[in-house]
Amino acid sequence: MFDVVVIGGGSTGTAVARDCAMRGLKTLLIERDDIASATVGTCAGMISSGLKYMDEPEIVDLCSQEVVYFNKIARHIIMKNPILTPIFGMSDLSSGGNFAEEYSKRAAKRQVPPVLFLTPEDSLKIEPMLNPDLIASLYFEEYFINPFRLCILQAQDASVHGAEIRTYCEVVDIRLSNNEVKSVVFYDRVSGKKEEVSTRIIVNATGPWAERIAGLAGTNVELRLNKGAHVILDRRVVNVGVIAKAVDGRMIYLFPHESTVLLGTTAIDTWEDPDTLVTSHDEIEYLLKSMEWVVPSIRKARIIRTMEGVRPLIAEWKIPEGEVTRGYKIIDHSDEGVSGLLSFTGGKLVMCRRMAEDVTDVICKKLDIQATCETHIRPLPGNDSDIDVVSLAKEYKVSQHVVERMRTRRGTKTRDVLELVRDHPEWRTTICVCEPVIEAEIRYSIRNEYPRTINDLRRRLRVGTGPCQGTNCTYKIAAILSEELNLGIAETLIEMTRFLSERWKGKRPPFRGDLLAQEELVQAIYSCVGNLDREAIHEPNPWEEGL
Amino acid sequence: MDLEPDVLVIGGGMAGLVAGTVAAQDGLDVLLIRRGQGSTAMSSGAIDICGYMRGATVHFESPIEAIQTITRVHPLHPYSIIAYDEGGIVPEKSIKYIKDATNWLKKQLARSIAAIEGDLSRNLMQLTQIGTTKPTCFVQGSMVHPGLYDNDSRPLFVGIRGHSDFNAAITANTFLQYRMDIDMAPRIVLNEMIDLSPHGRHHNIASIEIARFLDTEEGLEKITSILKNEVKRTGATHVVLPAVLGIERAIDNAKHLSKETQATVFETLAFPPSVPGLRLQMALDRIFQASGGTLILGHKAVSGVFKGETLVEVKASGPKRKISIRPKAAVLATGKFISEGLLGSQKGVREPLFGLVTVTGEFYDASEEYPRRHTRPIPFTNRGHDIFQFGVPVDENLRPVDYNGRAKAENLFAAGAIIAGYDFSSEKSGLGVALTTGYVAGEKVIRNIRSDI
Ligand SMILES: Cc1cc2nc3c(=O)[nH]c(=O)nc-3n(C[C@H](O)[C@H](O)[C@H](O)COP(=O)(O)OP(=O)(O)OC[C@H]3O[C@@H](n4cnc5c(N)ncnc54)[C@H](O)[C@@H]3O)c2cc1C
Ligand SMILES: Cc1cc2nc3c(=O)[nH]c(=O)nc-3n(C[C@H](O)[C@H](O)[C@H](O)COP(=O)(O)OP(=O)(O)OC[C@H]3O[C@@H](n4cnc5c(N)ncnc54)[C@H](O)[C@@H]3O)c2cc1C
């Protein structure tokens, strides 16, 4: 008997599992796919002060506070980036002023400078790629977090505190007795077996799927689902973030990230099955066209891929998406006559810890447990102290660049990974050259972070996310995964085509330029030489229906 | 600089080098310019003629059978185009060309670092780096494995520590599983990891480094003694290695190792960066030069000047200079997307050098066809993506044609992956089409210049 079953392993669900476990509740987290496999993995990772939500000061306050906490508990997976908002017309200048005021009020607390107004000359000094017609720009700084690592670390910390984490398990039923939740039935996709667990409370943290899960208990949730797409470009077109007005007056952004830039995002109300969505041609052109005015060189960069997600917004209608509150709601379904089931609507990545705190407070009250929240004080795994990249690199004879990249994923746990090369010097070999990632970290991740597929490793390690999109490393990673997990042979080959298919999902919508050459190479390696087009046909993914 | 060769070949992969060599061996003055390495140097180095029909799951037993089928079913396939005679397709003509081309190549490559074995009467099921098998027709001497499929065969897969391209255990098991699925020998496979660290390093070892090491006496001695022990210990009949047996000496090394170990030592088909692909490319370069051809590297052809129906000039630029070339005839062998013989934008596909007409796999104008629309949601199916059949349409003389089917220029020919109407990955026909069209283009150029047709 569990105290709490959390359904959904995104930012919200993993945060809830962590909080519940830390407060001593017997907790189970059930995720139908991998941790961070859905919405959270498609977001920009900005843990923002809320530029877009200046009309909701309480949300701005909340977000600012959360940033302060994240800086305490997860600083190894956080980066601060400067952002410019170029201004081309007088009307934008005044709205800029309002923003500057709200932002600056909270700046000191967040350890960022207040908003600066820059002249065109100074703006261009900071970012020479801007359209020189600007009349001024706003300069400020925002924090970004690695959303995958955040979820993985939250889940790991939850299990350190006694929670059970079950990935690849899909909830298929919620059973009630006397209008009270009694148990959760789920299907284990790896073993192929159905299981039932009893629980006192269920937290429905399934983001865009919340309506469906609520429906399993005969209850209702209403969401406003809104699709957002990103285009990822292969070089740092800009070296600072740029926020600009799109063709329709919405705000869009261009954020440098490692050696790439992220261009986003669109906002389209959707009623589609989120699993089948892909970015459309129109979305890509909308983003490029809009940013081209501000950063004229944008089309010179090569598109690496697109990615898309669905925002599970609170159901406010007849207003543009941008005006829908960014707040969240916890729905206690006892109002509908079913007790023990709590659902989330709305929210954002940046609020996930706070959302968890609120819902756990409600749970503790229901279960009559006295325990206070500590998720904002206790560090996530790897954040206990600083590490010295230079000396680690020397000690283990691994390049500094590799160790530095490792540090941004796992902080003090970097040493645990490097320890593996003592017995296996060959595991210093770089497997994913784009990122780069060495074999030791792949083995470590497989042994400690419960991935089942190459795609899961991508989320944990960024393998296969660079310009080559796994062309050169997929077969190598498949072999390692196969050895570590003892996969069958057919499964190993299919794992290669499955991962490359997932990559193809994001390469197909913007298919142009170098992407054609790259796909010719993928086909040459895996079909022409590897013969996998004849020997490893996988079950179609949801977005692949119809040839 | 101004040059006036008889023949200008643009692009130096299989197609361009074969065309150039054929023309040079006929006594013509041939100049070949190449921007960089293309697909040929990346290839596994085994020459596919045709392994599958697009859409088929069962492979062709022999390339001959494949040509007979393709010439019937795909009248615009390059193998069919070269078989046009008096308005109809004569399959025997295609087969004859392929026979001539492959016999010629075999002879040229004999005693080279990429000497090949095989014949058109059967497809070989060749073992790949990941343990799958694929149909191909000609393999380099270091890749042959007589007896591998015999009942008493006991192949030992040998990986090299720190060389991540080849995981001996997984490759061995994949191969075994496949043989078990079709209920055929071998029924036992072994695998082992050895230390060969060419530079005393045990990680990040590239295939090419090992190959260079095995070209040295020291390297050969080292691997010989290791493999001797392994074979003795395991009783293996074959030793399966990644494609690293040497650049200059791979074939001799394979022979030497086989003799010393008393087991057949051979290389699998490689993914890029591929040592056998490099060997093939180097061997072709040398043959071309030995035949009197002139190779200009690092130069990109950038534009052409046509007068009426004749190509009169090609401009090229290199790192430090621009050159103007006024050939009597030219062969365009610039490859497909990888080599930038074709470029795609979101709006369509074009041929960047001469602005030639490009077509889809169905031979519609490709200049305004969104590439995405010619792909499938699933990347790996037995039908491939149609976009990879895009290319330049040619007449039966391999001359690129305009929308009316008329040759763009009487003295411009095309060869290799730039030609429309086939998908090498799906068909397993890449180097075969490049070789054959290169060979035919070479002959056409000779006739064009010698008898002015
Ligand atoms: C394009 C885009 C950009 C964004 N940018 C930002 C940003 O910069 N900053 C920010 O703060 N927020 C951003 N957001 C919002 C933020 O990503 C989301 O609000 C948040 O990540 C949602 O997390 P979640 O855990 O609630 O949902 P999800 O991540 O979708 O998690 C829900 C999980 O439930 C699982 N699930 C579903 N059904 C079942 C079932 N039957 N059984 C078991 N498991 C199930 C799913 O597999 C999924 O993993 C962005 C959103 C989008 C779409
Ligand atoms: C990874 C890989 C593995 C493969 N494996 C096999 C295999 O095992 N068996 C098989 O049969 N086939 C294989 N193929 C397919 C085969 O390699 C190709 O189909 C074949 O090499 C095409 O030859 P080509 O001469 O037409 O083009 P390429 O070899 O691509 O040569 C084109 C040349 O043109 C040059 N060029 C382009 N534009 C210009 C310009 N403007 N000016 C000057 N030079 C220019 C390029 O630099 C290049 O040298 C493989 C292909 C790849 C990519």
Side-chain angles (χ1 to χ4, degrees):
Chain A
M1 175 76 142
F2 286 96
D3 292 325
V4 185
V5 168
V6 183
I7 310 174
S11 46
T12 316
T14 53
V16 174
R18 174 172 182 248
D19 201 340
C20 288
M22 281 172 77
R23 294 202 220 182
L25 301 174
K26 197 163 177 314
T27 307
L28 168 67
L29 179 121
I30 305 176
E31 162 57 49
R32 89 190 151 138
D33 200 283
D34 182 29
I35 297 295
S37 56
T39 321
V40 64
T42 67
C43 85
M46 175 149 98
I47 43 177
S48 70
S49 55
L51 163 68
K52 281 164 105 178
Y53 327 117
M54 282 303 147
D55 304 337
E56 297 184 273
E58 66 290 355
I59 304 266
V60 183
D61 281 338
L62 187 159
C63 292
S64 299
Q65 184 59 50
E66 286 307 305
V67 173
V68 175
Y69 292 145
F70 276 130
N71 261 318
K72 237 185 259 161
I73 66 166
R75 98 202 111 106
H76 57 310
I77 55 169
I78 286 180
M79 265 184 347
K80 186 159 64 174
N81 272 344
I83 293 177
L84 280 180
T85 301
I87 292 172
F88 293 90
M90 290 315 268
S91 61
D92 295 336
L93 210 50
S94 65
S95 59
N98 295 341
F99 162 68
E101 203 175 303
E102 286 293 331
Y103 179 100
S104 303
K105 271 190 219 161
R106 301 164 179 89
K109 188 172 168 195
R110 291 170 48 239
Q111 298 172 351
V112 292
V115 174
L116 300 174
F117 275 89
L118 300 183
T119 62
E121 295 72 40
D122 286 346
S123 311
L124 288 165
K125 236 180 257 161
I126 294 177
E127 185 44 73
M129 301 317 278
L130 292 178
N131 180 344
D133 294 342
L134 78 172
I135 59 171
S137 73
L138 298 177
Y139 173 95
F140 56 101
E141 293 176 4
E142 290 286 10
Y143 290 94
F144 290 76
I145 195 163
N146 177 332
F148 298 114
R149 290 309 299 179
L150 175 65
C151 296
I152 301 284
L153 295 178
Q154 288 184 152
Q156 277 193 323
D157 205 32
S159 63
V160 167
H161 289 92
E164 226 183 284
I165 311 286
R166 296 287 300 270
T167 56
Y168 289 96
C169 290
E170 178 159 2
V171 171
V172 290
D173 200 8
I174 292 175
R175 298 213 167 123
L176 309 175
S177 101
N178 300 324
N179 292 331
E180 217 174 291
V181 301
K182 186 182 78 154
S183 66
V184 174
V185 183
F186 60 91
Y187 170 75
D188 182 327
R189 290 168 56 193
V190 178
S191 70
K193 292 204 185 81
K194 260 193 196 169
E195 291 178 44
E196 180 168 359
V197 289
S198 34
T199 183
R200 298 162 78 185
I201 304 280
I202 296 171
V203 177
N204 170 14
T206 51
W209 292 271
E211 297 175 334
R212 251 189 242 174
I213 295 296
L216 296 178
T219 57
N220 292 299
V221 162
E222 194 186 18
L223 291 169
R224 178 165 169 185
L225 295 183
N226 189 270
K227 178 189 183 194
H230 284 111
V231 174
I232 303 168
L233 301 165
D234 79 327
R235 66 195 72 158
R236 287 175 76 105
V237 182
V238 286
N239 280 310
V240 298
V242 173
I243 293 185
K245 235 182 205 177
V247 291
D248 55 357
R250 290 178 58 250
M251 299 307 273
I252 60 165
Y253 50 74
L254 185 62
F255 292 144
H257 182 73
E258 317 291 346
S259 54
T260 63
V261 294
L262 188 64
L263 170 62
T265 161
T266 57
I268 301 171
D269 288 307
T270 179
W271 289 264
E272 274 284 0
D273 175 352
D275 286 328
T276 63
L277 284 176
V278 291
T279 302
S280 72
H281 183 73
D282 283 342
E283 286 175 289
I284 297 166
E285 294 303 325
Y286 165 93
L287 290 169
L288 289 173
K289 171 88 184 156
S290 300
M291 196 49 83
E292 206 171 10
W293 281 322
V294 183
V295 181
S297 62
I298 190 137
R299 281 188 198 266
K300 294 216 178 86
R302 192 191 119 187
I303 299 179
I304 294 183
R305 61 184 287 109
T306 52
M307 68 177 181
E308 53 290 307
V310 173
R311 303 178 183 88
L313 302 178
I314 287 179
E316 295 177 347
W317 302 105
K318 308 214 172 180
I319 47 173
E321 166 270 345
E323 287 169 25
V324 176
T325 174
R326 256 37 188 186
Y328 57 90
K329 268 195 210 151
I330 295 170
I331 298 168
D332 185 338
H333 295 278
S334 39
D335 301 345
E336 285 176 87
V338 172
S339 70
L341 175 64
L342 302 165
S343 293
F344 279 108
T345 66
K348 295 197 49 100
L349 166 68
V350 56
M351 302 169 188
C352 67
R353 195 212 58 82
R354 177 60 187 272
M355 292 162 79
E357 179 176 346
D358 281 2
V359 87
T360 313
D361 285 348
V362 174
I363 295 167
C364 285
K365 204 160 155 207
K366 279 186 186 289
L367 300 182
D368 206 14
I369 289 171
Q370 306 285 321
T372 47
C373 176
E374 294 190 342
T375 52
H376 55 304
I377 311 168
R378 307 257 290 266
L380 283 166
N383 191 44
D384 6 358
S385 68
D386 286 326
I387 70 159
D388 181 351
V389 170
V390 179
S391 65
L392 277 181
K394 232 193 225 145
E395 182 179 346
Y396 293 95
K397 299 197 188 69
V398 173
S399 91
Q400 267 185 42
H401 184 42
V402 164
V403 179
E404 170 54 25
R405 301 299 307 137
M406 228 184 262
R407 183 200 64 77
T408 64
R409 287 186 280 273
R410 48 190 83 252
T412 51
K413 303 266 186 215
T414 300
R415 186 181 280 278
D416 299 1
V417 175
L418 292 172
E419 268 302 301
L420 294 177
V421 308
R422 280 196 199 282
D423 286 343
H424 290 278
E426 74 276 13
W427 289 356
R428 290 197 189 91
T429 299
T430 309
I431 301 294
C432 166
V433 178
C434 302
E435 174 51 18
V437 182
I438 61 171
E439 181 162 347
E441 193 178 4
I442 294 176
R443 302 247 179 208
Y444 179 88
S445 180
I446 298 171
R447 292 173 189 183
N448 296 287
E449 299 176 337
Y450 38 83
R452 305 256 0 140
T453 66
I454 305 177
N455 204 17
D456 298 353
L457 285 166
R458 166 186 67 88
R459 296 188 187 98
R460 286 155 183 75
L461 308 174
R462 292 182 52 87
V463 290
T465 60
C468 95
Q469 290 287 297
T471 308
N472 299 316
C473 64
T474 295
Y475 69 98
K476 300 181 184 179
I477 300 174
I480 297 170
L481 191 72
S482 177
E483 268 185 4
E484 290 283 337
L485 297 183
N486 228 328
L487 298 182
I489 287 308
E491 184 63 18
T492 306
L493 295 181
I494 283 179
E495 193 43 40
M496 297 183 204
T497 52
R498 209 190 281 139
F499 182 62
L500 291 163
S501 298
E502 192 282 333
R503 297 284 84 190
W504 174 237
K505 178 191 182 192
K507 291 192 282 181
R508 185 172 183 244
F511 199 49
R512 61 187 70 176
D514 285 348
L515 282 172
L516 274 68
Q518 197 193 76
E519 206 53 27
E520 188 188 343
L521 186 57
V522 169
Q523 292 293 333
I525 296 175
Y526 294 92
S527 296
C528 169
V529 183
N531 215 21
L532 295 186
D533 57 337
R534 300 306 201 289
E535 291 191 16
I537 306 297
H538 65 86
E539 290 283 308
N541 290 303
W543 67 87
E544 290 179 329
E545 270 155 35
L547 284 178
Chain B
M1 188 164 76
D2 284 2
L3 298 163
E4 294 193 352
D6 293 328
V7 182
L8 168 67
V9 179
I10 308 159
M14 172 68 99
L17 285 162
V18 168
T21 304
V22 166
Q25 288 179 347
D26 199 67
L28 294 174
D29 172 23
V30 184
L31 176 71
L32 187 149
I33 63 168
R34 167 161 92 210
R35 205 196 46 196
Q37 296 290 28
S39 298
T40 304
M42 275 191 239
S43 73
S44 78
I47 295 162
D48 305 343
I49 301 299
C50 184
Y52 291 94
M53 185 80 162
R54 278 199 305 277
T57 47
V58 179
H59 67 87
F60 287 117
E61 284 300 319
S62 81
I64 302 271
E65 178 199 351
I67 306 310
Q68 276 159 349
T69 311
I70 283 196
T71 45
R72 222 178 38 239
V73 182
H74 293 307
L76 295 171
H77 192 287
Y79 283 148
S80 306
I81 303 258
I82 55 169
Y84 268 85
D85 210 352
E86 316 259 303
I89 296 173
V90 183
E92 291 69 35
K93 192 171 167 189
S94 183
I95 292 171
K96 169 126 190 354
Y97 268 135
I98 297 171
K99 256 190 196 146
D100 289 352
T102 51
N103 284 337
W104 174 86
L105 184 72
K106 229 179 181 173
K107 217 167 99 201
Q108 302 300 318
L109 289 175
R111 283 179 302 280
S112 81
I113 59 173
I116 51 171
E117 300 184 22
D119 65 83
L120 291 176
S121 68
R122 67 186 174 127
N123 270 320
L124 306 166
M125 287 314 277
Q126 201 68 18
L127 189 49
T128 77
Q129 179 173 331
I130 53 171
T132 52
T133 47
K134 78 162 252 196
T136 186
C137 190
F138 296 91
V139 296
Q140 296 181 10
S142 48
M143 301 174 178
V144 290
H145 48 60
L148 177 64
Y149 299 128
D150 290 355
N151 271 328
D152 57 354
S153 120
R154 268 170 84 86
L156 169 67
F157 288 66
V158 174
I160 296 158
R161 205 177 302 283
H163 176 244
S164 61
D165 298 33
F166 188 79
N167 183 313
I170 302 293
T171 303
N173 287 326
T174 303
F175 177 62
L176 181 64
Q177 179 75 49
Y178 171 71
R179 299 304 294 177
M180 276 165 35
D181 286 351
I182 56 172
D183 198 18
M184 303 276 258
R187 294 175 212 279
I188 301 170
V189 296
L190 310 156
N191 71 82
E192 192 52 62
M193 176 111 91
I194 65 169
D195 278 303
L196 204 64
S197 56
H199 306 293
R201 182 163 33 82
H202 290 283
H203 65 282
N204 280 343
I205 302 178
S207 301
I208 189 87
E209 280 176 89
I210 306 171
R212 281 200 194 106
F213 184 54
L214 297 187
D215 274 348
T216 66
E217 287 304 325
E218 182 201 346
L220 184 60
E221 261 166 44
K222 188 162 176 187
I223 195 170
T224 307
S225 78
I226 295 173
L227 291 186
K228 251 174 145 167
N229 276 333
E230 289 298 335
V231 170
K232 207 190 249 161
R233 190 175 62 76
T234 58
T237 56
H238 293 75
V239 175
V240 187
L241 287 170
V244 296
L245 274 176
I247 301 169
E248 298 290 338
R249 290 173 42 167
I251 296 172
D252 292 343
N253 283 350
K255 279 200 194 114
H256 172 84
L257 286 168
S258 298
K259 191 166 140 245
E260 291 292 316
T261 61
Q262 305 269 303
T264 305
V265 178
F266 70 96
E267 299 173 311
T268 53
L269 299 183
F271 290 174
S274 147
V275 171
L278 189 66
R279 292 197 296 250
L280 175 64
Q281 178 76 55
M282 288 169 63
L284 292 171
D285 282 1
R286 290 171 188 178
I287 290 162
F288 172 69
Q289 285 169 306
S291 306
T294 308
L295 197 54
I296 301 191
L297 303 179
H299 283 65
K300 178 181 180 181
V302 290
S303 64
V305 179
F306 291 85
K307 258 203 192 113
E309 289 189 356
T310 307
L311 170 70
V312 293
E313 184 190 357
V314 173
K315 296 193 167 101
S317 71
K320 288 202 194 83
R321 56 175 182 178
K322 293 200 175 352
I323 52 181
S324 154
I325 306 155
R326 306 178 73 87
K328 294 195 179 111
V331 178
L332 180 68
T334 47
K336 215 181 263 315
F337 302 108
I338 290 177
S339 301
E340 296 182 23
L342 295 178
L343 290 181
S345 75
Q346 65 271 36
K347 296 255 168 77
V349 169
R350 62 193 181 87
E351 188 283 305
L353 178 54
F354 297 131
L356 298 174
V357 167
T358 54
V359 292
T360 68
E362 258 103 53
F363 283 75
Y364 292 115
D365 175 11
S367 62
E368 291 183 3
E369 289 293 324
Y370 288 26
R372 179 182 45 86
R373 296 210 181 127
H374 296 268
T375 61
R376 299 174 201 285
I378 305 180
F380 300 100
T381 70
N382 53 23
R383 291 191 278 167
H385 292 304
D386 296 350
I387 186 76
F388 298 121
Q389 297 171 46
F390 279 40
V392 165
V394 293
D395 66 13
E396 68 262 37
N397 288 314
L398 297 187
R399 287 191 276 227
V401 294
D402 63 17
Y403 293 117
N404 301 318
R406 290 213 334 266
K408 161 98 179 172
E410 42 77 27
N411 63 343
L412 175 63
F413 302 83
I418 193 172
I419 297 181
Y422 76 108
D423 173 350
F424 73 80
S425 286
S426 180
E427 297 174 3
K428 329 291 165 190
S429 65
L431 288 166
V433 171
L435 163 64
T436 307
T437 54
Y439 184 82
V440 174
E443 292 206 330
K444 301 284 179 190
V445 161
I446 296 170
R447 278 179 52 196
N448 181 272
I449 292 177
R450 296 253 185 258
S451 49
D452 238 19
I453 52 145

